[in-house]
Amino acid sequence: MKTALITGITGQDGSYLAEFLLKKGYRVAGLKRRASYINTERIDSIYTHKKFDLEYYDLEDTGCLYKLIKKYNPSEIYNLAAQSHVRVSFEIPEHTVSGVAMGPLRILEAIRNMNKSIKFYQASSSEMFGYNPQIVLNEDSTLMPASPYACAKVFAHHLIKNYRESYGLHASSGILFNHESPRRGETFVTRKITMAAAKIKLGLQDKLCLGNLDAKRDWGHAKDYVEAMWLMLQKKNPDDYVISTGEAHSVKEFLEEVFNCADLDPYKYLEIDERLFRPQEVPHLLGDSTKATKELGWKPKYGFKSLAKEMFEEDLKKIKGEIK
């Protein structure tokens, strides 16, 4: 039986990946940061699963990492933990960079020193491409990071290749473009929009504050993207892959699609707040996942409209349940 360690287990990606691996017959150890609140809502459905364990872990605690590898002897490690909000990384850059950059380095060193046969997945990001003049982005596109978060991701991304080539580790990076779901954090723009639409529909909110409506992103579903993570570690030879839908839509388009699902006019409630703009904006991110399709057999199952609809309907259902 394969065993996987997943950092960031209580996040959107961690929870979907854990469910996916448990269905594959894995034993899963989910690693979470200690906090004063439990924050296990996303993994409530698997919390008591006989093959699932929850452990405390911190990206800066090397000793804890070595202890967990010794305890579980994992065949795969998926690193999904870190402060991942791009706008927030401008406010707390040192904390962001410490986790995003040094966390993967500590894991790579632990694998190199304890068990080189462990396969490692690193969550890279489309934000690494930054303000790039190239319209469609793939594995060979120039990295031009435009935030502390993105700069740290570039550092980690290069480390993966370095350790792969220097020490022969099975280490792969998934250059994931934006991926959303009903489990997306409520501070991210897509979930902020779907939550607002649901609350406005129910008469619980009367306005929605947003920043840059013109930013375009390649938005997919997190369920599709965690499957790609797993597929990378099943390949004989490790490599890096862009994971994307191949379609870009603006924040404005997402707003209009969600409010259309709610049968509402978004512009009756919308306010633009300059404080929500980034110090350096990334106007357009569109991915080319041809390599993943050819080598992994991966294709997204969810489209833009179905994603927006699912997120809105789940938030509407959730909020209705809370006000009963």
Side-chain angles (χ1 to χ4, degrees), residues 212-243:
N212 182 12
L213 296 183
D214 297 323
K216 288 190 173 183
R217 294 293 183 267
D218 186 326
W219 275 311
H221 198 299
K223 278 187 178 180
D224 286 338
Y225 287 39
V226 298
E227 181 181 9
M229 298 174 191
W230 175 77
L231 286 168
M232 288 179 212
L233 298 198
Q234 309 321 300
K235 277 198 79 234
K236 181 180 179 180
N237 298 315
D239 209 340
D240 304 325
Y241 295 89
V242 162
I243 304 299

mmCIF file of all heavy atoms in Angstrom, residues 212-243:
data_model
loop_
_atom_site.group_PDB
_atom_site.id
_atom_site.type_symbol
_atom_site.label_atom_id
_atom_site.label_comp_id
_atom_site.label_asym_id
_atom_site.label_seq_id
_atom_site.Cartn_x
_atom_site.Cartn_y
_atom_site.Cartn_z
ATOM 1 N N ASN A 212 -9.277 45.130 -9.605
ATOM 2 C CA ASN A 212 -9.086 45.131 -11.057
ATOM 3 C C ASN A 212 -10.012 44.119 -11.741
ATOM 4 O O ASN A 212 -9.841 42.910 -11.617
ATOM 5 C CB ASN A 212 -7.622 44.810 -11.371
ATOM 6 C CG ASN A 212 -7.319 44.835 -12.850
ATOM 7 O OD1 ASN A 212 -8.128 45.313 -13.658
ATOM 8 N ND2 ASN A 212 -6.156 44.333 -13.225
ATOM 9 N N LEU A 213 -10.973 44.609 -12.512
ATOM 10 C CA LEU A 213 -11.910 43.733 -13.218
ATOM 11 C C LEU A 213 -11.356 43.228 -14.549
ATOM 12 O O LEU A 213 -11.890 42.287 -15.134
ATOM 13 C CB LEU A 213 -13.221 44.468 -13.502
ATOM 14 C CG LEU A 213 -14.061 44.926 -12.313
ATOM 15 C CD1 LEU A 213 -15.357 45.560 -12.819
ATOM 16 C CD2 LEU A 213 -14.363 43.790 -11.361
ATOM 17 N N ASP A 214 -10.288 43.854 -15.031
ATOM 18 C CA ASP A 214 -9.781 43.533 -16.362
ATOM 19 C C ASP A 214 -8.754 42.414 -16.380
ATOM 20 O O ASP A 214 -8.407 41.910 -17.456
ATOM 21 C CB ASP A 214 -9.166 44.783 -17.001
ATOM 22 C CG ASP A 214 -10.207 45.874 -17.218
ATOM 23 O OD1 ASP A 214 -11.350 45.518 -17.559
ATOM 24 O OD2 ASP A 214 -9.883 47.059 -17.033
ATOM 25 N N ALA A 215 -8.241 42.021 -15.202
ATOM 26 C CA ALA A 215 -7.252 40.937 -15.145
ATOM 27 C C ALA A 215 -7.859 39.651 -15.700
ATOM 28 O O ALA A 215 -8.973 39.271 -15.344
ATOM 29 C CB ALA A 215 -6.799 40.720 -13.710
ATOM 30 N N LYS A 216 -7.135 39.006 -16.595
ATOM 31 C CA LYS A 216 -7.605 37.756 -17.200
ATOM 32 C C LYS A 216 -6.816 36.570 -16.658
ATOM 33 O O LYS A 216 -5.590 36.627 -16.551
ATOM 34 C CB LYS A 216 -7.476 37.816 -18.725
ATOM 35 C CG LYS A 216 -8.478 38.737 -19.390
ATOM 36 C CD LYS A 216 -8.455 38.556 -20.900
ATOM 37 C CE LYS A 216 -9.587 39.350 -21.564
ATOM 38 N NZ LYS A 216 -9.627 39.128 -23.021
ATOM 39 N N ARG A 217 -7.548 35.509 -16.344
ATOM 40 C CA ARG A 217 -6.924 34.316 -15.804
ATOM 41 C C ARG A 217 -7.473 33.064 -16.487
ATOM 42 O O ARG A 217 -8.591 33.033 -16.978
ATOM 43 C CB ARG A 217 -7.166 34.210 -14.289
ATOM 44 C CG ARG A 217 -6.497 35.304 -13.467
ATOM 45 C CD ARG A 217 -4.993 35.185 -13.497
ATOM 46 N NE ARG A 217 -4.326 36.168 -12.659
ATOM 47 C CZ ARG A 217 -3.896 37.353 -13.087
ATOM 48 N NH1 ARG A 217 -4.100 37.709 -14.359
ATOM 49 N NH2 ARG A 217 -3.277 38.184 -12.263
ATOM 50 N N ASP A 218 -6.649 32.028 -16.487
ATOM 51 C CA ASP A 218 -7.012 30.720 -17.007
ATOM 52 C C ASP A 218 -7.531 29.925 -15.810
ATOM 53 O O ASP A 218 -6.768 29.386 -15.017
ATOM 54 C CB ASP A 218 -5.752 30.073 -17.607
ATOM 55 C CG ASP A 218 -6.035 28.768 -18.315
ATOM 56 O OD1 ASP A 218 -6.927 28.027 -17.866
ATOM 57 O OD2 ASP A 218 -5.331 28.468 -19.297
ATOM 58 N N TRP A 219 -8.870 29.867 -15.649
ATOM 59 C CA TRP A 219 -9.484 29.292 -14.461
ATOM 60 C C TRP A 219 -9.977 27.868 -14.706
ATOM 61 O O TRP A 219 -10.821 27.628 -15.567
ATOM 62 C CB TRP A 219 -10.677 30.146 -14.017
ATOM 63 C CG TRP A 219 -10.316 31.303 -13.148
ATOM 64 C CD1 TRP A 219 -9.520 31.280 -12.047
ATOM 65 C CD2 TRP A 219 -10.723 32.665 -13.305
ATOM 66 N NE1 TRP A 219 -9.416 32.542 -11.495
ATOM 67 C CE2 TRP A 219 -10.150 33.402 -12.254
ATOM 68 C CE3 TRP A 219 -11.543 33.322 -14.226
ATOM 69 C CZ2 TRP A 219 -10.356 34.770 -12.087
ATOM 70 C CZ3 TRP A 219 -11.750 34.682 -14.075
ATOM 71 C CH2 TRP A 219 -11.159 35.397 -13.019
ATOM 72 N N GLY A 220 -9.467 26.909 -13.905
ATOM 73 C CA GLY A 220 -9.937 25.541 -13.970
ATOM 74 C C GLY A 220 -10.485 25.110 -12.623
ATOM 75 O O GLY A 220 -10.596 25.903 -11.693
ATOM 76 N N HIS A 221 -10.838 23.836 -12.515
ATOM 77 C CA HIS A 221 -11.392 23.289 -11.273
ATOM 78 C C HIS A 221 -10.297 22.519 -10.525
ATOM 79 O O HIS A 221 -9.576 21.717 -11.114
ATOM 80 C CB HIS A 221 -12.567 22.356 -11.581
ATOM 81 C CG HIS A 221 -13.463 22.092 -10.414
ATOM 82 N ND1 HIS A 221 -13.022 21.499 -9.248
ATOM 83 C CD2 HIS A 221 -14.790 22.352 -10.222
ATOM 84 C CE1 HIS A 221 -14.024 21.385 -8.399
ATOM 85 N NE2 HIS A 221 -15.107 21.907 -8.962
ATOM 86 N N ALA A 222 -10.215 22.732 -9.221
ATOM 87 C CA ALA A 222 -9.178 22.082 -8.408
ATOM 88 C C ALA A 222 -9.259 20.556 -8.492
ATOM 89 O O ALA A 222 -8.233 19.873 -8.410
ATOM 90 C CB ALA A 222 -9.297 22.544 -6.962
ATOM 91 N N LYS A 223 -10.457 20.006 -8.659
ATOM 92 C CA LYS A 223 -10.591 18.550 -8.772
ATOM 93 C C LYS A 223 -9.799 18.016 -9.961
ATOM 94 O O LYS A 223 -9.154 16.965 -9.872
ATOM 95 C CB LYS A 223 -12.064 18.168 -8.940
ATOM 96 C CG LYS A 223 -12.855 18.093 -7.659
ATOM 97 C CD LYS A 223 -14.239 17.548 -7.943
ATOM 98 C CE LYS A 223 -15.052 17.399 -6.676
ATOM 99 N NZ LYS A 223 -16.414 16.849 -6.965
ATOM 100 N N ASP A 224 -9.844 18.724 -11.075
ATOM 101 C CA ASP A 224 -9.074 18.320 -12.253
ATOM 102 C C ASP A 224 -7.575 18.410 -11.980
ATOM 103 O O ASP A 224 -6.796 17.545 -12.396
ATOM 104 C CB ASP A 224 -9.414 19.216 -13.443
ATOM 105 C CG ASP A 224 -10.773 18.914 -14.051
ATOM 106 O OD1 ASP A 224 -11.273 17.788 -13.859
ATOM 107 O OD2 ASP A 224 -11.340 19.800 -14.708
ATOM 108 N N TYR A 225 -7.181 19.445 -11.275
ATOM 109 C CA TYR A 225 -5.758 19.733 -11.119
ATOM 110 C C TYR A 225 -5.063 18.785 -10.152
ATOM 111 O O TYR A 225 -3.872 18.477 -10.319
ATOM 112 C CB TYR A 225 -5.569 21.191 -10.713
ATOM 113 C CG TYR A 225 -5.828 22.154 -11.869
ATOM 114 C CD1 TYR A 225 -6.857 21.925 -12.778
ATOM 115 C CD2 TYR A 225 -5.047 23.285 -12.060
ATOM 116 C CE1 TYR A 225 -7.108 22.782 -13.838
ATOM 117 C CE2 TYR A 225 -5.292 24.156 -13.116
ATOM 118 C CZ TYR A 225 -6.313 23.895 -14.002
ATOM 119 O OH TYR A 225 -6.556 24.750 -15.056
ATOM 120 N N VAL A 226 -5.767 18.279 -9.137
ATOM 121 C CA VAL A 226 -5.113 17.334 -8.227
ATOM 122 C C VAL A 226 -4.858 15.995 -8.930
ATOM 123 O O VAL A 226 -3.883 15.303 -8.613
ATOM 124 C CB VAL A 226 -5.915 17.125 -6.928
ATOM 125 C CG1 VAL A 226 -6.042 18.434 -6.161
ATOM 126 C CG2 VAL A 226 -7.280 16.499 -7.171
ATOM 127 N N GLU A 227 -5.691 15.652 -9.887
ATOM 128 C CA GLU A 227 -5.433 14.439 -10.668
ATOM 129 C C GLU A 227 -4.128 14.580 -11.451
ATOM 130 O O GLU A 227 -3.337 13.630 -11.555
ATOM 131 C CB GLU A 227 -6.588 14.146 -11.622
ATOM 132 C CG GLU A 227 -6.374 12.883 -12.437
ATOM 133 C CD GLU A 227 -7.510 12.582 -13.402
ATOM 134 O OE1 GLU A 227 -8.409 13.439 -13.569
ATOM 135 O OE2 GLU A 227 -7.494 11.481 -13.998
ATOM 136 N N ALA A 228 -3.876 15.771 -11.977
ATOM 137 C CA ALA A 228 -2.632 16.015 -12.716
ATOM 138 C C ALA A 228 -1.421 15.871 -11.799
ATOM 139 O O ALA A 228 -0.374 15.353 -12.211
ATOM 140 C CB ALA A 228 -2.665 17.406 -13.341
ATOM 141 N N MET A 229 -1.540 16.322 -10.553
ATOM 142 C CA MET A 229 -0.447 16.176 -9.587
ATOM 143 C C MET A 229 -0.068 14.704 -9.441
ATOM 144 O O MET A 229 1.110 14.332 -9.484
ATOM 145 C CB MET A 229 -0.866 16.716 -8.223
ATOM 146 C CG MET A 229 -1.212 18.182 -8.179
ATOM 147 S SD MET A 229 -1.847 18.613 -6.522
ATOM 148 C CE MET A 229 -2.469 20.270 -6.838
ATOM 149 N N TRP A 230 -1.086 13.881 -9.250
ATOM 150 C CA TRP A 230 -0.855 12.446 -9.068
ATOM 151 C C TRP A 230 -0.238 11.820 -10.317
ATOM 152 O O TRP A 230 0.707 11.014 -10.218
ATOM 153 C CB TRP A 230 -2.179 11.762 -8.723
ATOM 154 C CG TRP A 230 -2.074 10.274 -8.624
ATOM 155 C CD1 TRP A 230 -1.542 9.555 -7.583
ATOM 156 C CD2 TRP A 230 -2.501 9.313 -9.601
ATOM 157 N NE1 TRP A 230 -1.614 8.206 -7.856
ATOM 158 C CE2 TRP A 230 -2.198 8.024 -9.089
ATOM 159 C CE3 TRP A 230 -3.111 9.412 -10.852
ATOM 160 C CZ2 TRP A 230 -2.489 6.858 -9.791
ATOM 161 C CZ3 TRP A 230 -3.401 8.242 -11.551
ATOM 162 C CH2 TRP A 230 -3.095 6.993 -11.017
ATOM 163 N N LEU A 231 -0.744 12.182 -11.470
ATOM 164 C CA LEU A 231 -0.230 11.624 -12.718
ATOM 165 C C LEU A 231 1.262 11.908 -12.899
ATOM 166 O O LEU A 231 2.009 11.074 -13.417
ATOM 167 C CB LEU A 231 -1.017 12.181 -13.904
ATOM 168 C CG LEU A 231 -2.428 11.630 -14.106
ATOM 169 C CD1 LEU A 231 -3.196 12.463 -15.129
ATOM 170 C CD2 LEU A 231 -2.387 10.163 -14.523
ATOM 171 N N MET A 232 1.708 13.078 -12.462
ATOM 172 C CA MET A 232 3.129 13.419 -12.582
ATOM 173 C C MET A 232 4.020 12.450 -11.811
ATOM 174 O O MET A 232 5.106 12.082 -12.261
ATOM 175 C CB MET A 232 3.364 14.851 -12.075
ATOM 176 C CG MET A 232 2.826 15.918 -12.985
ATOM 177 S SD MET A 232 3.116 17.570 -12.295
ATOM 178 C CE MET A 232 1.670 18.429 -12.916
ATOM 179 N N LEU A 233 3.548 12.036 -10.635
ATOM 180 C CA LEU A 233 4.367 11.141 -9.820
ATOM 181 C C LEU A 233 4.258 9.678 -10.230
ATOM 182 O O LEU A 233 4.964 8.829 -9.702
ATOM 183 C CB LEU A 233 4.002 11.306 -8.337
ATOM 184 C CG LEU A 233 4.243 12.693 -7.741
ATOM 185 C CD1 LEU A 233 4.270 12.626 -6.222
ATOM 186 C CD2 LEU A 233 5.534 13.334 -8.258
ATOM 187 N N GLN A 234 3.360 9.369 -11.170
ATOM 188 C CA GLN A 234 3.262 7.997 -11.674
ATOM 189 C C GLN A 234 4.173 7.773 -12.876
ATOM 190 O O GLN A 234 4.390 6.629 -13.293
ATOM 191 C CB GLN A 234 1.813 7.672 -12.046
ATOM 192 C CG GLN A 234 0.786 7.972 -10.973
ATOM 193 C CD GLN A 234 1.251 7.639 -9.574
ATOM 194 O OE1 GLN A 234 1.573 6.486 -9.276
ATOM 195 N NE2 GLN A 234 1.271 8.638 -8.692
ATOM 196 N N LYS A 235 4.698 8.858 -13.446
ATOM 197 C CA LYS A 235 5.591 8.731 -14.598
ATOM 198 C C LYS A 235 6.951 8.178 -14.168
ATOM 199 O O LYS A 235 7.423 8.426 -13.070
ATOM 200 C CB LYS A 235 5.814 10.106 -15.246
ATOM 201 C CG LYS A 235 4.728 10.521 -16.213
ATOM 202 C CD LYS A 235 5.239 11.648 -17.111
ATOM 203 C CE LYS A 235 6.122 11.164 -18.221
ATOM 204 N NZ LYS A 235 7.413 11.761 -18.357
ATOM 205 N N LYS A 236 7.575 7.433 -15.054
ATOM 206 C CA LYS A 236 8.897 6.895 -14.748
ATOM 207 C C LYS A 236 9.905 8.014 -14.558
ATOM 208 O O LYS A 236 10.723 7.986 -13.630
ATOM 209 C CB LYS A 236 9.348 5.959 -15.876
ATOM 210 C CG LYS A 236 10.717 5.341 -15.630
ATOM 211 C CD LYS A 236 11.124 4.416 -16.771
ATOM 212 C CE LYS A 236 12.512 3.829 -16.512
ATOM 213 N NZ LYS A 236 12.945 2.914 -17.622
ATOM 214 N N ASN A 237 9.858 8.990 -15.450
ATOM 215 C CA ASN A 237 10.812 10.100 -15.388
ATOM 216 C C ASN A 237 10.119 11.389 -14.953
ATOM 217 O O ASN A 237 9.098 11.773 -15.532
ATOM 218 C CB ASN A 237 11.468 10.308 -16.754
ATOM 219 C CG ASN A 237 12.265 9.091 -17.203
ATOM 220 O OD1 ASN A 237 13.019 8.517 -16.426
ATOM 221 N ND2 ASN A 237 12.088 8.698 -18.452
ATOM 222 N N PRO A 238 10.650 12.076 -13.942
ATOM 223 C CA PRO A 238 10.031 13.310 -13.451
ATOM 224 C C PRO A 238 10.239 14.463 -14.419
ATOM 225 O O PRO A 238 11.198 14.470 -15.196
ATOM 226 C CB PRO A 238 10.773 13.564 -12.135
ATOM 227 C CG PRO A 238 12.138 12.971 -12.366
ATOM 228 C CD PRO A 238 11.883 11.742 -13.211
ATOM 229 N N ASP A 239 9.358 15.437 -14.365
ATOM 230 C CA ASP A 239 9.467 16.604 -15.228
ATOM 231 C C ASP A 239 8.521 17.689 -14.708
ATOM 232 O O ASP A 239 7.810 17.487 -13.711
ATOM 233 C CB ASP A 239 9.115 16.246 -16.672
ATOM 234 C CG ASP A 239 9.825 17.120 -17.694
ATOM 235 O OD1 ASP A 239 10.288 18.217 -17.322
ATOM 236 O OD2 ASP A 239 9.896 16.711 -18.874
ATOM 237 N N ASP A 240 8.503 18.810 -15.390
ATOM 238 C CA ASP A 240 7.631 19.924 -15.012
ATOM 239 C C ASP A 240 6.545 20.090 -16.073
ATOM 240 O O ASP A 240 6.815 19.955 -17.273
ATOM 241 C CB ASP A 240 8.439 21.217 -14.890
ATOM 242 C CG ASP A 240 9.605 21.073 -13.914
ATOM 243 O OD1 ASP A 240 9.446 20.344 -12.913
ATOM 244 O OD2 ASP A 240 10.664 21.679 -14.155
ATOM 245 N N TYR A 241 5.326 20.411 -15.602
ATOM 246 C CA TYR A 241 4.185 20.482 -16.519
ATOM 247 C C TYR A 241 3.291 21.687 -16.223
ATOM 248 O O TYR A 241 2.949 21.941 -15.060
ATOM 249 C CB TYR A 241 3.328 19.218 -16.404
ATOM 250 C CG TYR A 241 4.026 17.958 -16.835
ATOM 251 C CD1 TYR A 241 4.761 17.211 -15.917
ATOM 252 C CD2 TYR A 241 3.970 17.523 -18.156
ATOM 253 C CE1 TYR A 241 5.414 16.046 -16.303
ATOM 254 C CE2 TYR A 241 4.626 16.355 -18.560
ATOM 255 C CZ TYR A 241 5.346 15.624 -17.627
ATOM 256 O OH TYR A 241 5.999 14.486 -18.012
ATOM 257 N N VAL A 242 2.888 22.379 -17.274
ATOM 258 C CA VAL A 242 1.853 23.401 -17.168
ATOM 259 C C VAL A 242 0.509 22.687 -17.096
ATOM 260 O O VAL A 242 0.228 21.794 -17.896
ATOM 261 C CB VAL A 242 1.875 24.357 -18.383
ATOM 262 C CG1 VAL A 242 0.560 25.122 -18.498
ATOM 263 C CG2 VAL A 242 3.044 25.320 -18.272
ATOM 264 N N ILE A 243 -0.313 23.091 -16.124
ATOM 265 C CA ILE A 243 -1.656 22.544 -15.984
ATOM 266 C C ILE A 243 -2.639 23.707 -16.105
ATOM 267 O O ILE A 243 -2.643 24.618 -15.276
ATOM 268 C CB ILE A 243 -1.843 21.826 -14.630
ATOM 269 C CG1 ILE A 243 -0.776 20.734 -14.454
ATOM 270 C CG2 ILE A 243 -3.242 21.253 -14.518
ATOM 271 C CD1 ILE A 243 -0.804 19.642 -15.511
#
